[in-house]
Amino acid sequence: MFIDHAAIETALKLAAGANDAAIDAVLAKAELGSPLDQLDIATLLEIKSEQHMGRLMGIAGAIKDRIYGNRIVVFAPLYISDYCVNNCTYCGYKHSNDFPRRRLSREEIQEEVMLLEKMGHKRLALEVGEDPVNCPIDYVVDAIDAIYTTKNDNGTIRRINVNIAATTVENYKKLKEASIGTYILFQETYHKPTYDLMHPKSVKGNYLYHLTAFDRAMEAGLDDVGAGVLFGLADYKFEVLALMMHNAHLEEKFGVGFHTISVPRIKKAEGMTLDQFSNQIDDQTFKKIVAILRVAVPFTGIIMSTRESAQMRRDMIRAGVSQISAGSCTGVGGYKESDRKSGTINQFEASDQRTPLEVLKELVADGLIPSYCTACYRSGRTGDRFMQLAKAGQIHNVCTPNALMTLQEFVLDYGDVALKVESEQLIEKELAAIERPDIKNLLAGNLERIRGGERDLYL
């Protein structure tokens, strides 16, 4: 098994109580952009002082700026079925919770998508519970088609990332044929004894089958995969090292690791209380985790959902986060106002309740470019091809112009006067800063075309 529990425990023991000199040495290594090994990461996990935290956050922020610039990808989740055969102790969808289950029809899915499109969304994360009978792979594939073919006055959803349970190579090939973006699956916890405890009487309880899902997905041709753990289930230090071990395994076997890493913390959900979980982490520890992930895997996107507060997300955008959800509902059919009032069960409680417009206003006010770009996926810049461009420092030549074009679209189609004023200033500033004349001229022309009514232009 490529998650070597003994090796992780050894690294944690060797790093335990690391002194200032040892931490400073690893921070200096990170500052130079040198790769960090397991012991280096374990050493950073020992950071406790404000001085070291400040330096770590600064390094993480500098790395993010160098690779991602000031772009922030914006998306929304779409929950289409809460049928589930599992009894995961931390989840509101668990089988033992007694509530009326729902699976959206094709028409209901399209209705939800229309509402999301009216908010300006172009990227969705499709979410379902695990139930082979009530939510088979063919239902998921049909849902994907329903989403892609739903169109309102201002266009369609352009990228669907999919979060479904671990499955077979054959089923992953079906997702590939359906033209999904990233395949997302959270290990929840890499610590096997904890994993077994958290998944009683569950199909999901097969640790090894769940752990090797990305191997099967990549064998099926899905070269963009997104990982994550649910912080609060097991010791966070173990989880971070295990995430890095999993990433290294994929890089060695397939030539590319995680496209994204999500960083959810456990939140209150139906049928459980937080005092059941003794490994919850405080805000300072959470910030440390996010910053360490950024320096450990500089080219991997880091996602922070609306589980976290608006202020936490704002803080961590400056120290590593590159993708956020906005205007999220975590219940099936939750984007219909009538469903919000009908007692729909959510998978977990969200903290940031702002609308996408409110989220974008804050991003633009902070000098950040909200991006709904899906160009890399549709242009074949996925997997190792994306990583090659990113590591060569060339990805910004396409990502920044594409982000600006999607911002211009949003402003014209969904923005209010205040957003339009600030966004136009930001767009002009960013356009002027582009160094390559050919890209600057192309972008300027495309922006004018968008203002003239064209849509979905990208490099």
Side-chain angles (χ1 to χ4, degrees):
M1 185 170 65
F2 53 82
I3 301 299
D4 188 334
H5 285 52
I8 293 173
E9 296 294 352
T10 297
L12 292 175
K13 287 178 182 177
L14 288 172
N19 60 29
D20 289 352
I23 293 172
D24 284 333
V26 178
L27 287 171
K29 188 175 179 181
E31 207 162 22
L32 292 172
S34 302
L36 304 184
D37 59 28
Q38 288 282 85
L39 184 56
D40 291 331
I41 298 168
T43 299
L44 293 182
L45 288 166
E46 291 297 306
I47 286 177
K48 296 179 180 67
S49 73
E50 290 186 11
Q51 179 183 357
H52 282 141
M53 267 297 294
R55 188 176 175 194
L56 172 65
M57 296 279 281
I59 293 169
I63 289 171
K64 178 185 174 293
D65 287 346
R66 185 173 72 247
I67 296 169
Y68 289 93
N70 57 346
R71 304 180 304 277
I72 300 296
V73 170
V74 181
F75 71 96
L78 174 60
Y79 288 76
I80 61 170
S81 174
D82 52 23
Y83 283 98
C84 195
V85 298
N86 296 318
N87 258 319
C88 308
T89 59
Y90 46 82
C91 182
Y93 286 178
K94 62 184 175 182
H95 185 69
S96 60
N97 278 348
D98 185 15
F99 66 92
R101 305 276 173 166
R102 287 192 66 189
R103 185 184 85 169
L104 298 184
S105 67
R106 183 180 179 92
E107 292 72 23
E108 289 172 323
I109 291 170
Q110 291 181 311
E111 190 173 10
E112 290 283 282
V113 172
M114 288 291 287
L115 292 170
L116 284 159
E117 288 176 344
K118 287 177 181 177
M119 298 179 200
H121 284 296
K122 304 298 182 187
R123 303 167 61 107
L124 299 183
L126 186 65
E127 310 275 353
V128 299
E130 182 172 8
D131 189 323
V133 174
N134 290 295
C135 189
I137 190 66
D138 290 341
Y139 168 73
V140 174
V141 170
D142 185 64
I144 293 167
D145 178 72
I147 295 167
Y148 276 137
T149 56
T150 302
K151 183 175 183 179
N152 70 9
D153 293 339
N154 297 320
T156 60
I157 299 300
R158 300 169 185 167
R159 175 176 173 133
I160 306 169
N161 298 334
V162 175
N163 183 356
I164 67 166
T167 188
T168 63
V169 171
E170 180 183 353
N171 284 344
Y172 286 130
K173 286 180 179 178
K174 291 182 178 181
L175 294 182
K176 174 71 174 178
E177 291 167 3
S179 298
I180 72 165
T182 302
Y183 170 59
I184 300 167
L185 183 68
F186 297 168
Q187 184 61 27
E188 314 297 5
T189 173
Y190 284 96
H191 188 250
K192 189 178 185 305
T194 303
Y195 187 95
D196 294 341
L197 185 66
M198 297 295 165
H199 303 96
K201 299 178 181 178
S202 300
V203 173
K204 190 174 177 175
N206 187 330
Y207 176 88
L208 189 59
Y209 186 77
H210 196 80
L211 182 65
T212 54
F214 287 148
D215 293 65
R216 295 190 297 280
M218 286 191 166
E219 288 167 13
L222 293 171
D223 54 2
D224 272 5
V225 298
V229 297
L230 182 55
F231 287 103
L233 300 185
D235 173 51
Y236 75 90
K237 295 179 181 179
F238 183 96
E239 303 286 29
V240 171
L241 291 190
L243 266 170
M244 296 301 95
M245 195 170 277
H246 196 172
N247 186 71
H249 162 75
L250 295 178
E251 286 187 338
E252 181 179 354
K253 186 173 180 180
F254 297 101
V256 62
F258 301 140
H259 184 71
T260 60
I261 292 176
S262 297
V263 287
R265 281 194 286 182
I266 192 165
K267 294 289 183 180
K268 177 71 179 74
E270 187 76 14
M272 68 82 144
T273 59
L274 289 176
D275 58 16
Q276 295 173 243
F277 302 92
S278 60
N279 287 299
Q280 295 175 63
I281 55 176
D282 60 23
D283 287 353
Q284 191 73 350
T285 301
F286 184 59
K287 291 179 179 181
K288 178 171 69 173
I289 290 169
V290 175
I292 289 172
L293 290 174
R294 173 49 65 220
V295 303
V297 281
F299 302 99
T300 297
I302 297 180
I303 300 173
M304 187 171 288
S305 76
T306 54
R307 284 178 183 261
E308 297 299 331
S309 69
Q311 188 58 54
M312 176 63 77
R313 302 204 308 163
R314 190 180 195 185
D315 291 345
M316 296 318 297
I317 281 171
R318 293 299 189 186
V321 169
S322 56
Q323 299 189 23
I324 60 171
S325 52
S328 303
C329 290
T330 62
V332 175
Y335 291 102
K336 284 184 65 177
E337 190 63 29
S338 60
D339 285 338
R340 289 190 180 190
K341 295 177 180 177
S342 67
T344 297
I345 294 295
N346 293 324
Q347 191 185 32
F348 58 87
E349 290 184 358
S351 296
D352 188 348
Q353 302 285 348
R354 293 175 299 166
T355 66
L357 182 61
E358 290 170 328
V359 171
L360 261 67
K361 282 183 175 181
E362 179 178 273
L363 292 174
V364 171
D366 288 345
L368 301 168
I369 309 171
S371 175
Y372 290 96
C373 178
T374 59
C376 282
Y377 163 69
R378 292 188 289 165
S379 301
R381 294 189 292 265
T382 61
D384 59 350
R385 292 175 293 283
F386 173 86
M387 286 298 177
Q388 287 169 7
L389 280 171
K391 291 177 180 180
Q394 298 300 313
I395 199 69
H396 69 277
N397 287 326
V398 290
C399 286
T400 297
N402 286 334
L404 291 169
M405 284 186 273
T406 64
L407 175 58
Q408 182 70 81
E409 279 191 15
F410 187 98
V411 165
L412 293 172
D413 294 339
Y414 312 100
D416 60 15
V417 173
L419 181 64
K420 288 178 180 179
V421 170
E422 288 207 43
S423 294
E424 290 295 346
Q425 293 174 349
L426 178 62
I427 290 169
E428 290 304 314
K429 177 183 175 183
E430 293 294 330
L431 176 62
I434 292 176
E435 296 179 354
R436 281 182 50 174
D438 56 337
I439 293 177
K440 180 182 290 189
N441 292 336
L442 180 57
L443 174 58
N446 281 357
L447 289 170
E448 283 303 315
R449 290 169 62 188
I450 291 169
R451 290 166 187 145
E454 293 188 57
R455 293 293 179 268
D456 198 18
L457 303 178
Y458 57 88
L459 307 187

